Every structure is written in C-alpha cells, then in structure tokens.
C-alpha cells in the first residue's frame, strides 16, 4: 500500500480563461478501487492526463507507483493480439494472459488473431487484462464500457471487482455499484473522496443537499427577521436620541439610546454571520431542471412494423429474423450483443439502403427524430449547428443550459467539446424536433449520470414513442416499455 498525494493542484488549458482545477489537495490509497464521477467537462479525463504527466501545472503530484492509462494506444493494430499484449505487459507469461481472459470470457484464440479484427468488446477486455498484469502499476481507466452491451458491461464490472489499484471513470450506475469501494467526485465547487459505491455516495450526497437546503431556508428567514429587527432598533435609537433635546434627564435618555443602538449593532452582526453561513451552503448542488418535449400524435396506433427482418453483412445474415411492432406511446429497446445488427435495424427504419431479408414498414407521413451513435464529426459553433439543422436557436441553447452547459461554451467550436458534451448537442437537437417517433442509437455514451437521470424523468413524463439502443441497465429499466431481443445468427 502507498499513497498518491496531490497538493494545491491548479490547472487551466493554455489560452483558456476557465480554470479546470484550483488549489486541489487529495490523498488516494493505491489499494482503492475508485469510481470517478462528475458532470461532462468537469475535468475527469484531464485529471488522468495530469497524473500521467502530460500537462504543466502548479502544485505537486507525488506517487511511488507508475500510472497506466486505458484505453491503451495500439499503434499497429494489424499485428497479432499476442504481440500487442506483449508490448503492454512484457513480463507476463502466456498462461497468465489466458487466465485473465478466461475471467472475462474471452476465447484464447483471440491471441493469434490480428488485433484489428477483434470486436470493440474483445479489444476492451484484452487490453484491460494486459494492463492489470503489470504488477504494481496503478490504472487510470477511462470509460471502458462505452459501446459495450449489457452482458459485456457486467463481465467488465465483475472483473474489476476482483482487482484493486485503479480509478474508473464511468457514468454507468450498475457498473460502478458492481466494482468500486470509493467514489472520487468532481463536484461543482470541490473534489471529494468517500468510501462506498455509487449508490451509497448518491444517498449521502442527496441527504447532504437536503440538509443544506433546509439550513438555507432557515437562514434566509433569520436574515430577513434580523434585518427588520435591526432597522427597528436603529429607528427607535434615533427617536430616543432626538427626544434628549426636551428631556429633563438627558443622561438617562442618552443611556437608553445607546443601549438600543448597541442592540441594533448586535443584530446586524448576527445577520452578517447568518449571511456568511448561508454563502457556504449548496455550493455543490447539481441542478437538473426538468426538460420538455413536444412529441406529435400520430393519427393511427401502429407506427412501425418489422416482419422477419435479418440484417446482412457481405451477403451473410448476422442475426436471426426479428419481428416486432412499435405503437403509439411504446418505448422499445433493442437488446443484443455487440455486432448483432441493432444499429443497422435502426438505420433500416430510417430508410437507409442496408442489405436485409424480411420487411420493414413505416407508416405513411411518420416524422422521425434521430440521434446517431457517433458524434465525433460535429463542428462549428452552436448557432451554426442550429441553423444547419433548422431548429430554433433559443430553444436549443435553453435545453443545453438545462443540461449543464455554461454560456461560455456557446461560442466555442463543437470540436473542442468533450465526448459527453457533443452527445448532449445531438440529444438537444432531437428534443427541439417535433416527431411522431424518436429513434436514438446509444444516446447516453459519455453522458454524465445527472443528465441520464434527467432524460429518464423526461421520457417517463412525456411518454413519446421510441425505438432505441442503450446498454445502461438503469436507464433501460426506467424507460423501456418493451424489450426486443436481437439474437446473433451463430448464437454467440
């Protein structure tokens, strides 16, 4: 066991007026399993890069361990997976690699395949296995479960539970609850470390916010009452002082006026103390204002039907034929392993020319709003984005503000946004669009936990018709009214 010591860390990106970290001091045990949480753009990945020594900063970071970062940059993915892993963990024996892969339910034969031919899930698992074989290293794991299906996420979470000595950035509540023993929370005003999983942290955080809210309301009333009382005492003191002119006993009257003035000053001091106490409250409040949606009502009950549909890649079917219908008010989640064709089924619904068997029927005049999986190509500022997509700019920006965008973001190029902020841009566009059916493909990748819960509340309240792919189990449990299983043709 050793410690990672961070003292008076201050950092901002060159040319930026926004300070990412200011006078941060932390002490982390290298045996901990830390879950790192916080709003998009709050500096989680930046903290990893600072620990890796990639940026210049003020303050000190002291550690006796070497840091490894996930995802590991594979420079020549055409090499055999075994060669790639030997580069990552050169002292590990092959039997050790195979043991770790068995924990993640990865077949040993992947070692003798080109790394580039592995699925995203397989790449994630083999890189994690290799990094954990570097004994004595401390892992900085940056959102490993994005794009992984529900079962793969559960496997990764169970694997991480067996390990220790890492910080995991994740917005998946089930994954965090399954593997971490401490939470590193990048809050609005500070950074805190707390023992426990995400569920216990959230309970404590909400309890603290409720307590501070009650304190805030009490202090507001106290401040108002003290202010009025101080003003009354000051007025009385002035009146008594003025009466000295005609008073027979000027000493007595003066003493009475001084006493009233002293009382007024004491009340003012108590008022200032209450104001100071109030200013210390609710600094970390995470507001998630309710979002609004204006779905269109279709004249018929049936919106979409799939009949015996199977997606084909290179002439080969990738999934068993699937049949289902989407009716008004239904929120249908497509569930299946990575590579089973879920995204392709969504694109078929949108009318894209993808090879398939069976029949997809979209009701006449149906208006669809689509959130694609990939947000990497977005560019330009938000005003330009709104014009290009023919959405109302003021409404678009108001939604983003409710999703924790600062006004300073509005003039930046979207290319400078974090992955989560880019995905919020696509979600906000969809919320601006009036549609009969909302088709969302992995909408929550990189999105912070608070915004996920905000989306859950929105969809439960407005109950739009939806077809979506999403692997966040908590979100699916809250939102979906129907699950459609997409089975790979080979059953794997």
């Amino acid at each position: 066991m050793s410690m990672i010591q961070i003292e008076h860390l201050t950092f901002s990106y060159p040319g930026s007026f926004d300070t990412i970290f200011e006078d941060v001091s932390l002490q982390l045990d290298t045996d901990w399993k830390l879950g790192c949480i916080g709003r998009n753009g709050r500096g989680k990945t930046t903290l990893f890069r600072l620990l890796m020594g990639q940026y210049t900063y003020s303050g000190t970071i002291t550690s006796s361990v070497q840091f490894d970062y996930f995802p590991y940059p594979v420079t020549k993915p055409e090499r055999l997976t075994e060669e790639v892993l030997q580069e990552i963990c050169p002292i590990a024996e092959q039997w050790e690699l195979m043991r770790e892969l068995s924990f993640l339910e990865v077949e040993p034969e992947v070692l003798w395949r080109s790394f580039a031919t592995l699925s995203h899930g397989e790449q994630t698992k083999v890189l994690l296995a290799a990094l954990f074989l570097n004994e004595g290293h401390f892992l900085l794991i940056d959102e490993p479960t994005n794009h992984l299906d529900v079962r793969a996420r559960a496997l990764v979470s169970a694997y991480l539970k067996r390990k220790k000595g890492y910080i995991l950035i994740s917005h998946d509540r089930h994954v965090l609850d399954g593997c971490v023993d401490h939470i590193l929370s990048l809050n609005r005003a500070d950074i805190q470390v707390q023992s426990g999983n995400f569920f216990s942290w959230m309970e404590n955080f909400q309890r603290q916010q409720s307590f501070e809210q009650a304190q805030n309301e009490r202090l507001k009333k106290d401040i108002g009452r003290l202010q009025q009382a101080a003003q009354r005492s000051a007025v009385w003191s002035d009146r008594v002082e003025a009466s000295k002119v005609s008073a027979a006993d000027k000493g007595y009257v003066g003493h009475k006026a001084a006493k009233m003035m002293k009382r007024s000053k004491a009340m003012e001091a108590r008022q200032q103390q209450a104001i100071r106490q109030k200013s210390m409250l609710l600094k970390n409040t995470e507001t998630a204002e309710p979002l609004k949606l204006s779905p269109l009502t279709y004249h018929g009950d049936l919106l979409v039907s799939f009949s015996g549909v199977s997606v084909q890649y290179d002439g080969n079917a990738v999934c068993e034929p699937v049949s289902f219908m989407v009716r008004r008010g239904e929120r249908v989640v497509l569930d299946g392993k990575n590579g089973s064709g879920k995204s392709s089924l969504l694109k078929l619904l949108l009318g894209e020319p993808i090879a398939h068997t069976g029949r997809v029927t979209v009701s006449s005049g149906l208006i669809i709003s689509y959130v694609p999986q990939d947000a990497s190509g977005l560019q330009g500022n938000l005003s330009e984005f709104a014009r290009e997509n023919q959405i109302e700019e003021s409404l678009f920006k108001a939604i983003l503000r409710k999703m924790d965008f600062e006004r300073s973001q509005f003039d930046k190029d979207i290319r400078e946004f974090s992955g989560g902020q880019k995905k919020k841009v696509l979600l906000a566009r969809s919320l601006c669009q009036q549609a009969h059916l909302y088709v969302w493909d992995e909408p929550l990748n990189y999105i912070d936990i608070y915004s996920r819960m905000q989306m859950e509340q929105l969809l439960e309240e407005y109950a739009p018709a939806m077809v979506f792919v999403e692997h966040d189990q908590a979100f699916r449990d809250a939102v979906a009214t129907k699950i459609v299983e997409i089975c790979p043709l080979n059953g794997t």
Side-chain angles (χ1 to χ4, degrees), residues 240 242-251 253-254:
V240 171
S243 71
K244 283 172 63 178
V245 177
S246 57
D249 189 347
K250 290 184 172 55
V253 174

Side-chain angles (χ1 to χ4, degrees), residues 226-282:
L226 289 166
Q227 189 174 32
Q228 291 174 0
Q231 288 172 349
R232 284 196 302 270
S233 294
V235 170
W236 292 338
S237 175
D238 291 342
R239 286 176 180 172
V240 171
E241 186 67 30
S243 71
K244 283 172 63 178
V245 177
S246 57
D249 189 347
K250 290 184 172 55
Y252 169 76
V253 174
H255 173 73
K256 187 176 180 183
K259 189 175 180 181
M260 287 184 176
M261 182 56 72
K262 185 177 180 181
R263 183 181 177 189
S264 173
K265 294 292 185 185
M267 287 180 180
E268 286 179 3
R270 285 168 59 193
Q271 179 190 345
Q272 290 303 314
Q273 182 183 11
I275 290 171
R276 283 194 296 274
Q277 288 177 333
K278 184 176 181 297
S279 69
M280 299 302 293
L281 299 173
L282 301 173

Side-chain angles (χ1 to χ4, degrees), residues 172-330:
D172 189 309
R173 290 155 280 181
H174 276 253
V175 169
L176 289 169
D177 279 341
C179 63
V180 305
D181 57 22
H182 285 75
I183 293 291
L184 174 65
S185 173
L186 277 61
N187 301 322
R188 190 173 295 278
D190 59 19
I191 299 178
Q192 297 176 351
V193 178
Q194 179 180 301
S195 175
N197 59 15
F198 173 78
F199 179 79
S200 63
W201 175 86
M202 180 57 87
E203 267 197 333
N204 290 336
F205 183 79
Q206 290 176 336
R207 191 179 296 118
Q208 178 67 23
Q209 294 306 299
S210 297
F211 171 77
E212 291 191 12
Q213 187 66 53
Q215 287 283 89
N216 188 62
E217 292 301 317
R218 181 184 64 78
L219 287 169
K220 274 199 318 190
K221 291 177 182 177
D222 287 351
I223 290 165
R225 179 177 53 79
L226 289 166
Q227 189 174 32
Q228 291 174 0
Q231 288 172 349
R232 284 196 302 270
S233 294
V235 170
W236 292 338
S237 175
D238 291 342
R239 286 176 180 172
V240 171
E241 186 67 30
S243 71
K244 283 172 63 178
V245 177
S246 57
D249 189 347
K250 290 184 172 55
Y252 169 76
V253 174
H255 173 73
K256 187 176 180 183
K259 189 175 180 181
M260 287 184 176
M261 182 56 72
K262 185 177 180 181
R263 183 181 177 189
S264 173
K265 294 292 185 185
M267 287 180 180
E268 286 179 3
R270 285 168 59 193
Q271 179 190 345
Q272 290 303 314
Q273 182 183 11
I275 290 171
R276 283 194 296 274
Q277 288 177 333
K278 184 176 181 297
S279 69
M280 299 302 293
L281 299 173
L282 301 173
K283 286 189 171 183
N284 285 326
T285 297
E286 293 293 352
T287 56
E289 293 183 54
L291 296 169
K292 293 183 179 179
L293 186 65
S294 301
L296 298 173
T297 302
Y298 192 68
H299 59 79
D301 181 56
L302 181 63
L303 307 183
V304 174
S305 69
F306 283 70
S307 180
V309 178
S310 178
V311 174
Q312 295 182 326
Y313 297 157
D314 299 324
N316 298 313
V318 297
C319 64
E320 294 180 2
V322 61
S323 300
F324 66 94
M325 293 185 233
V326 183
R327 302 183 184 278
R328 283 191 307 183
E330 288 188 327

Side-chain angles (χ1 to χ4, degrees), residues 1-17:
M1 180 190 79
S2 61
M3 305 304 292
I4 301 166
Q5 194 79 36
I6 300 173
E7 294 180 326
H8 306 295
L9 173 66
T10 298
F11 174 77
S12 60
Y13 285 101
S16 173
F17 296 104

Side-chain angles (χ1 to χ4, degrees), residues 105-148:
E105 297 186 8
V106 177
E107 294 298 324
E109 59 90 16
V110 302
L111 294 174
W112 298 281
R113 284 169 48 196
S114 164
F115 184 82
T117 65
L118 270 55
S119 70
H120 182 86
E122 289 171 331
Q123 290 180 356
T124 295
K125 292 172 184 177
V126 298
L127 290 179
L128 275 176
L131 287 167
F132 271 111
L133 285 173
N134 285 326
E135 196 170 333
H137 290 205
F138 190 88
L139 265 60
L140 307 174
I141 309 171
D142 198 346
E143 302 202 49
T145 59
N146 279 331
H147 306 293
L148 294 189

Side-chain angles (χ1 to χ4, degrees), residues 416-469:
E416 298 177 30
F417 291 1
S418 69
Q421 289 170 328
K422 288 178 181 176
K423 209 60 186 275
K424 285 180 180 180
V425 168
L426 295 179
L427 280 168
R429 177 184 65 182
S430 185
L431 298 186
C432 286
Q433 296 168 333
Q434 290 187 305
H436 298 117
L437 179 66
Y438 293 83
V439 177
W440 291 0
D441 193 356
E442 296 193 33
L444 301 185
N445 278 339
Y446 309 104
I447 296 282
D448 63 71
I449 289 167
Y450 300 102
S451 297
R452 292 178 185 224
M453 293 189 288
Q454 193 179 28
M455 284 291 159
E456 290 169 8
Q457 293 167 0
L458 169 78
L459 298 175
E460 287 180 272
E461 180 178 356
Y462 290 91
M466 292 188 73
V467 182
F468 68 99
V469 174

